[in-house]
Amino acid sequence: MRYVIGIDIGGTNLVVGAVAEDGTRLISLQSDPTRPEEGPDAVLQRLADTVRRAIAEARQADPTAEFVGVGVGAPGPLDTREGIVFLTPNLGWVNLPLRQRLADLLGLATTLDNDANCAILGEWWRGAAQDTQQAIGFTIGTGIGGGIIVDGKLYHGASDCAGEFGHMTIDVGGRRCNCGNYGCLEAYASGPAIALRTAEAIESGAESSIRQYVDGDLSRITAQTVYLAAQDGDELALEVVRDTAKYLGAGVANLINVFNPEVVVICGGVTLAGDRLFLPLRQEVARRAFKPAVQACRIVPGMLTGTAGVYGAVASFLQLRGDRSSTPRSAPHA
Amino acid sequence: MRYVIGIDIGGTNLVVGAVAEDGTRLISLQSDPTRPEEGPDAVLQRLADTVRRAIAEARQADPTAEFVGVGVGAPGPLDTREGIVFLTPNLGWVNLPLRQRLADLLGLATTLDNDANCAILGEWWRGAAQDTQQAIGFTIGTGIGGGIIVDGKLYHGASDCAGEFGHMTIDVGGRRCNCGNYGCLEAYASGPAIALRTAEAIESGAESSIRQYVDGDLSRITAQTVYLAAQDGDELALEVVRDTAKYLGAGVANLINVFNPEVVVICGGVTLAGDRLFLPLRQEVARRAFKPAVQACRIVPGMLTGTAGVYGAVASFLQLRGDRSSTPRSAPHA
């Protein structure tokens, strides 16, 4: 059987999987800390080692396994045509020809795409957005990213920047965002923004059991703390989750009004809040978006926790390999 | 030479043109009041007469003229697959099989598309967005509509509702919009919203020469009054235009962050404000949108004043005729 290697390069971990070309099987999954402080050469060498481990494990699972290529999802901005990562503050990479470097290291045709785009493409290929033609996805974590599927293909835009949903303005004179602007969705609904809104409310005197979850140290509050406290019935936590649904609902409604997709997939830790988030989120969207567009659209959590990026990197390889891939310039070094 | 008839159905006027299939010539342009109060049958008969006049005029301009079909742009929501207009409050039409009715009346293959979509497609085909693959356009008038070009084709979405840019939330707790929501772009930057913001400021005591333009009757202020007063240096009018640029800038920046287009075209009366609008608009976008996406994108006024809808209806016919057209069921009635 033919397999493609999918690589998800994150600030914390490198995740590598071997996925059947038809998407039906993931037969190996390897993970390694990224350790960006060691510099790109060391990270790429370690990544290549991780890929080799994944290939070895895959061969044990399926001795007939053939490997046709490698799809990589990396933080951007990047260039899918040239295969270059322009700048990744988290990793310290600048103008890195990641695609050719990996093709040479691994001896396999390689493609490069944006990590958030890959996560959504993974959900489209094998997860919550399967069997749709028009789909939108949010990745919500430290930041808010996204991806757009048009006619069953990842939409990249004019210069591979499409899908920056976190920096949609939803409150024109609102909260300052890390990007320097005011009123971005990310300033309200990212993990750190959820934690910050909670800490601010407690500092302003709101009653909450959350203090106990963090031994009184409000700087230790995370979005996850808030979901836990909401689960335990803490009023403030429930209110923060409802407010998050309201802000996120405005962002989702915007994209439904603009795109009229069949499905909006929400990926990331925020889905841990479950129906406490999704029920008011869907209500807010129904209030804000155009009725026929709302009726045409499901809003669902992602299904592929931990593997969406790998599946998506593989699907991206399958979509891009025709005209946006690097082939090895010689036999692999090792 | 082969021609396509383009029809732009507005609340006030029916505009009909004959455009060469290659887009190089518009050889006839006819207009007639819509008079929706006469009911759909009368409007369609009159529209058919207008088309016959356009065809006669076109034959005089080019005796070799052949007519291959009719593209229609109509207010929505509508269904481009079935050719049905679901509901047009301005016209009073409900579930009207407009496409088949016109095909039968005119004896020509006919397609149906949304009017705002057609205007943007016209600008893409023969106007300000020519020679691009990814483009976005706003139509700003009584309401704010829009259209999306992906890979050189009009993007319709899952149920022909894509492009409702006017109902993007840009101010989550902001002004009430006619749609019932709060903080929609349309509630700030449509023609009536611009007029309303001006009247409110004068009522709250702002100094302005605008009172004189409307003989003291603030209800007579229109967006055009504001542009005229701005031209004459009225401080309040200049402030309203700058604020409009700020709000519209947030909306345009949102779409640049989401779509990463090569061009954003702004169509409608608002372009009369010229550089007074476009310079601060571009500044606001540069502040709010992702830098590489801003660098990839021009923001320009529409070029095809009065004919964008006709050109676009023709271009829509050329894109849809393969699988979304009605053919006449018999010889034309007259």
Side-chain angles (χ1 to χ4, degrees):
Chain A
M1 198 163 194
R2 291 155 61 95
Y3 292 85
V4 178
I5 299 295
I7 298 177
D8 183 6
I9 299 180
T12 312
N13 286 303
L14 307 167
V15 184
V16 175
V19 177
E21 208 179 19
D22 64 4
T24 53
R25 307 167 69 187
L26 183 151
I27 59 170
S28 168
L29 192 65
Q30 297 280 338
S31 175
D32 217 45
T34 307
R35 298 199 200 102
E37 66 282 5
E38 295 178 2
D41 292 347
V43 172
L44 290 188
Q45 286 293 349
R46 194 144 26 71
L47 179 55
D49 287 341
T50 310
V51 171
R52 287 182 201 107
R53 280 209 314 278
I55 287 178
E57 187 183 58
R59 286 214 165 103
Q60 289 199 321
D62 179 355
T64 74
E66 251 184 278
F67 297 90
V68 299
V70 178
V72 182
L78 49 74
D79 183 330
T80 61
R81 285 170 190 80
E82 302 298 325
I84 291 167
V85 175
F86 292 131
L87 186 73
T88 55
N90 286 343
L91 301 177
W93 295 354
V94 179
N95 293 329
L96 182 72
L98 180 61
R99 192 176 71 190
Q100 187 66 55
R101 293 280 300 275
L102 278 174
D104 291 343
L105 276 165
L106 296 168
L108 286 165
T110 303
T111 61
L112 175 67
D113 213 325
N114 173 277
D115 52 357
N117 281 354
C118 283
I120 304 313
L121 186 62
E123 289 288 347
W124 170 82
W125 193 36
R126 298 303 300 167
Q130 270 182 82
D131 302 316
T132 64
Q133 288 293 300
Q134 325 297 353
I136 290 285
F138 285 77
T139 56
I140 304 183
T142 311
I144 296 185
I148 301 168
I149 309 288
V150 172
D151 293 338
K153 287 187 71 173
L154 199 52
Y155 172 79
H156 290 93
S159 57
D160 291 316
C161 304
E164 287 288 340
F165 301 160
H167 300 289
M168 268 191 300
T169 297
I170 59 160
D171 190 5
V172 75
R175 278 176 173 270
R176 190 173 169 90
C177 180
N178 285 332
C179 73
N181 254 315
Y182 293 87
C184 298
L185 176 60
E186 185 166 303
Y188 295 85
S190 67
I194 291 167
L196 181 64
R197 286 195 286 112
T198 309
E200 285 175 358
I202 295 175
E203 274 165 6
S204 310
E207 289 279 328
S208 171
S209 62
I210 289 177
R211 276 187 189 281
Q212 294 149 36
Y213 289 73
V214 292
D215 296 332
D217 178 359
L218 300 187
S219 72
R220 284 176 48 203
I221 295 174
T222 66
Q224 195 137 3
T225 322
V226 179
Y227 309 143
L228 281 175
Q231 216 161 17
D232 296 347
D234 180 80
E235 270 307 321
L236 174 65
L238 288 166
E239 189 186 318
V240 168
V241 170
R242 278 194 302 270
D243 286 349
T244 303
K246 188 183 76 178
Y247 296 124
L248 194 54
V252 170
N254 281 358
L255 288 173
I256 289 178
N257 279 332
V258 164
F259 250 109
N260 182 206
E262 293 157 71
V263 61
V264 173
V265 183
I266 313 282
C267 303
V270 75
T271 59
L272 293 173
D275 277 353
R276 266 184 211 94
L277 178 80
F278 277 87
L279 296 181
L281 169 62
R282 291 187 189 109
Q283 276 170 9
E284 185 70 18
V285 169
R287 248 196 302 274
R288 290 200 172 266
F290 193 45
K291 203 169 301 286
V294 173
Q295 285 164 348
C297 187
R298 293 178 291 130
I299 302 170
V300 295
M303 283 167 54
L304 306 177
T305 311
T307 59
V310 165
Y311 271 106
V314 169
S316 166
F317 173 83
L318 298 171
Q319 295 193 350
L320 295 181
R321 64 175 156 185
D323 57 348
R324 300 192 197 176
S325 66
S326 289
T327 48
R329 284 175 298 196
S330 60
H333 299 333
Chain B
M1 198 162 195
R2 290 156 61 96
Y3 292 85
V4 177
I5 299 295
I7 298 177
D8 183 5
I9 299 180
T12 312
N13 286 302
L14 307 166
V15 184
V16 175
V19 177
E21 207 180 19
D22 64 5
T24 54
R25 307 167 69 188
L26 183 151
I27 58 170
S28 168
L29 193 65
Q30 297 280 338
S31 176
D32 216 46
T34 307
R35 296 199 200 104
E37 66 282 6
E38 295 178 3
D41 291 349
V43 172
L44 290 188
Q45 287 292 349
R46 195 144 27 71
L47 179 55
D49 288 341
T50 310
V51 170
R52 288 182 202 108
R53 281 210 313 280
I55 287 178
E57 187 182 57
R59 287 213 164 103
Q60 289 199 320
D62 179 355
T64 72
E66 250 185 276
F67 297 90
V68 299
V70 178
V72 182
L78 49 74
D79 183 329
T80 61
R81 285 171 189 78
E82 301 298 325
I84 291 168
V85 174
F86 292 130
L87 186 73
T88 55
N90 286 343
L91 301 177
W93 295 353
V94 179
N95 293 329
L96 182 71
L98 180 61
R99 191 176 71 189
Q100 187 66 55
R101 293 281 300 275
L102 278 173
D104 291 343
L105 276 166
L106 297 167
L108 287 165
T110 303
T111 61
L112 175 67
D113 213 327
N114 174 277
D115 53 357
N117 280 354
C118 283
I120 304 314
L121 187 62
E123 290 289 347
W124 170 82
W125 194 36
R126 301 301 301 166
Q130 270 181 83
D131 302 317
T132 63
Q133 288 295 299
Q134 325 297 354
I136 291 285
F138 285 77
T139 57
I140 304 183
T142 311
I144 296 185
I148 301 168
I149 309 288
V150 171
D151 294 339
K153 287 188 71 173
L154 199 52
Y155 173 78
H156 290 93
S159 58
D160 291 316
C161 303
E164 288 287 340
F165 300 160
H167 300 289
M168 268 192 299
T169 298
I170 59 161
D171 190 6
V172 75
R175 279 177 173 269
R176 190 173 170 88
C177 180
N178 285 332
C179 75
N181 255 314
Y182 294 87
C184 298
L185 176 60
E186 185 166 302
Y188 295 85
S190 68
I194 291 168
L196 182 63
R197 286 194 286 112
T198 309
E200 285 175 358
I202 295 175
E203 274 165 7
S204 310
E207 289 280 328
S208 170
S209 63
I210 289 176
R211 276 186 190 282
Q212 294 149 36
Y213 289 72
V214 292
D215 296 331
D217 179 359
L218 299 189
S219 74
R220 284 175 48 204
I221 296 174
T222 66
Q224 195 137 3
T225 322
V226 180
Y227 308 144
L228 281 175
Q231 216 161 16
D232 297 345
D234 181 79
E235 270 307 321
L236 174 65
L238 288 166
E239 189 186 317
V240 169
V241 171
R242 278 195 302 271
D243 285 349
T244 304
K246 188 183 76 177
Y247 296 124
L248 194 54
V252 170
N254 281 359
L255 288 173
I256 289 179
N257 278 333
V258 164
F259 250 110
N260 183 207
E262 293 157 70
V263 61
V264 173
V265 183
I266 314 283
C267 303
V270 74
T271 60
L272 294 173
D275 277 354
R276 264 184 211 96
L277 177 79
F278 277 87
L279 296 182
L281 170 62
R282 292 188 188 109
Q283 276 170 11
E284 186 71 18
V285 169
R287 248 195 302 275
R288 290 198 173 269
F290 193 45
K291 203 171 293 313
V294 173
Q295 285 164 348
C297 186
R298 293 177 292 130
I299 302 170
V300 295
M303 283 167 54
L304 306 177
T305 311
T307 59
V310 166
Y311 272 107
V314 170
S316 165
F317 173 83
L318 297 172
Q319 294 194 350
L320 294 182
R321 64 176 157 185
D323 57 348
R324 298 191 199 177
S325 67
S326 288
T327 48
R329 284 174 299 196
S330 60
H333 298 333

